[in-house]
C-alpha cells in the first residue's frame, strides 16, 4: 500500500461503545495529524504528533484519546461519544511539521456515525 | 485568531466555463496560503500554494494569486472539466509560528461541473 490509509472507512457506534480508528502512513513521514470534518464547517485540527510526541491538542474532549506508537501509525480511541461527534475523521502525515515547507498528505477518512 | 472564509457552495458550472472560487483570510502575521482539493471518497490533496504577497500558485490549469492588500487568494480556472468536480478548500499557515503543524482551513466549496 502507498500513501496514507485509514481503517475502517465507515463506522457506526452507539454512545456507550468503545472503538478505535487506525491510520497508517507508508511515506516515511515523521508528523501525523487527526482532523474532524463536519458538514459545512471548516476542517478542525484535533491532534498533532511529531516523532511520536504529541505537540498539539486543540481543546479536544477527553472522549477522544489519540495514540501514536511509532511514526507510521496513529490511532484515535473513542468512548462515550455524542451524536454531534458524527463526522468524517481525516488522518494526515508530513515529513516535518507542516507549514510552508512540508506538505500534508491526507488519508480518505473514516465516516463515523454515532447513534 | 487566524481564519479563512470561502464562498458558499455548491458552485455549478457547465464544462469549459470559467471558474472563480473566492477565499479571504484574516491573519496577524504573514501567512502562506494553500488550495486543497478533495475528490469524492478521497482525502485532501494539495492543489497549489503561495508563500508571499503577489506570488501566483498554479497547477493543473488552476491559479491563485496572493493579494495582501485585499487579504484574498481566489482560485481560478479558465475552462473547467467534469473531472474537476470536487470540494475545494482554502487554507493558511501562519509563518510567524512556522512549522507548528497548524493549517487553518475554510469550510470548503463544492464544485459541480456538468457536461
Amino acid at each position: 500500500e502507498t500513501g496514507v490509509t485509514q481503517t475502517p472507512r465507515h463506522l457506526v457506534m452507539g454512545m456507550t461503545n468503545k472503538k478505535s480508528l487506525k491510520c497508517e502512513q507508508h511515506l516515511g513521514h515523521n508528523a501525523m495529524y487527526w482532523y474532524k470534518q463536519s458538514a459545512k464547517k471548516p476542517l478542525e485540527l484535533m491532534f498533532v504528533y511529531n516523532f511520536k510526541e504529541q505537540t498539539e491538542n486543540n481543546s479536544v474532549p477527553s472522549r477522544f484519546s489519540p495514540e501514536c506508537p511509532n511514526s507510521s501509525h496513529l490511532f484515535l480511541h473513542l468512548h462515550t461519544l455524542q451524536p454531534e461527534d458524527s463526522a468524517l475523521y481525516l488522518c494526515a502525515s508530513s515529513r516535518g511539521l507542516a507549514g510552508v515547507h512540508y506538505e500534508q498528505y491526507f488519508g480518505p477518512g473514516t465516516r463515523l456515525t454515532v447513534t | 485568531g487566524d481564519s479563512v472564509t470561502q464562498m458558499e457552495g455548491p458552485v455549478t458550472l457547465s464544462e469549459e466555463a470559467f471558474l472563480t472560487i473566492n477565499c479571504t483570510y484574516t491573519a496577524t502575521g504573514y501567512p502562506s496560503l494553500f488550495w486543497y482539493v478533495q475528490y469524492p471518497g478521497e482525502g485532501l490533496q494539495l492543489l497549489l500554494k503561495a508563500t508571499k504577497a503577489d506570488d501566483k500558485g498554479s497547477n493543473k490549469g488552476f491559479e491563485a494569486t496572493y493579494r495582501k492588500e485585499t487579504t484574498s487568494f481566489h482560485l481560478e480556472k479558465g475552462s473547467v472539466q467534469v473531472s474537476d468536480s470536487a470540494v475545494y478548500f482554502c487554507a493558511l499557515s501562519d509563518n510567524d509560528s512556522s512549522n507548528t503543524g497548524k493549517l487553518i482551513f475554510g469550510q470548503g466549496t463544492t464544485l459541480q461541473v456538468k457536461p
Side-chain angles (χ1 to χ4, degrees):
Chain A
E1 293 235 42
T2 59
V4 181
T5 58
Q6 291 187 243
T7 54
R9 294 293 306 273
H10 300 272
L11 177 63
V12 179
M13 59 186 290
M15 289 190 283
T16 57
N17 292 159
K18 290 185 180 181
K19 296 286 185 183
S20 295
L21 310 185
K22 179 182 176 182
C23 174
E24 184 173 2
Q25 58 93 2
H26 309 267
L27 301 168
H29 289 169
N30 299 307
M32 296 189 78
Y33 313 78
W34 280 117
Y35 286 89
K36 177 182 179 182
Q37 184 178 15
S38 304
K40 299 186 179 180
K41 291 178 66 176
L43 220 62
E44 299 172 55
L45 178 66
M46 300 175 72
F47 302 103
V48 181
Y49 279 82
N50 191 36
F51 290 97
K52 303 188 298 178
E53 299 298 318
Q54 189 180 116
T55 59
E56 184 78 26
N57 176 337
N58 199 22
S59 304
V60 180
S62 59
R63 58 186 183 269
F64 295 90
S65 175
E67 178 190 3
C68 189
N70 54 61
S71 292
S72 298
H73 294 86
L74 184 64
F75 296 89
L76 188 62
H77 303 301
L78 316 171
H79 64 96
T80 59
L81 294 191
Q82 305 298 311
E84 59 264 29
D85 297 322
S86 298
L88 182 68
Y89 289 84
L90 292 167
C91 175
S93 71
S94 60
R95 183 180 301 178
L97 285 176
V100 174
H101 304 294
Y102 298 112
E103 176 184 345
Q104 288 188 17
Y105 292 78
F106 285 80
T110 295
R111 174 68 63 188
L112 174 67
T113 303
V114 181
T115 60
Chain B
D2 296 353
S3 65
V4 175
T5 303
Q6 293 180 233
M7 61 188 290
E8 292 269 346
V11 173
T12 303
L13 297 173
S14 297
E15 209 164 20
E16 299 183 3
F18 185 87
L19 168 71
T20 300
I21 299 179
N22 290 339
C23 171
T24 56
Y25 67 89
T26 302
T28 53
Y30 301 92
S32 292
L33 302 172
F34 306 83
W35 276 101
Y36 279 80
V37 59
Q38 185 179 30
Y39 298 103
E42 299 183 14
L44 279 70
Q45 305 171 27
L46 180 64
L47 181 59
L48 52 84
K49 68 179 182 183
T51 58
K52 61 183 187 297
D54 300 324
D55 268 3
K56 177 185 285 188
S58 61
N59 186 26
K60 299 181 181 179
F62 291 89
E63 292 183 341
T65 301
Y66 188 145
R67 301 283 188 203
K68 194 172 189 301
E69 64 276 12
T70 55
T71 61
S72 65
F73 192 55
H74 304 321
L75 182 68
E76 297 181 337
K77 187 175 185 183
S79 175
V80 294
Q81 306 300 312
V82 172
S83 57
D84 294 325
S85 298
V87 183
Y88 292 81
F89 293 88
C90 186
L92 71 81
S93 171
D94 187 348
N95 288 344
D96 282 350
S97 54
S98 62
N99 295 345
T100 62
K102 283 190 174 181
L103 286 178
I104 297 170
F105 286 85
Q107 73 271 35
T109 302
T110 299
L111 170 65
Q112 299 172 338
V113 180
K114 298 186 174 181

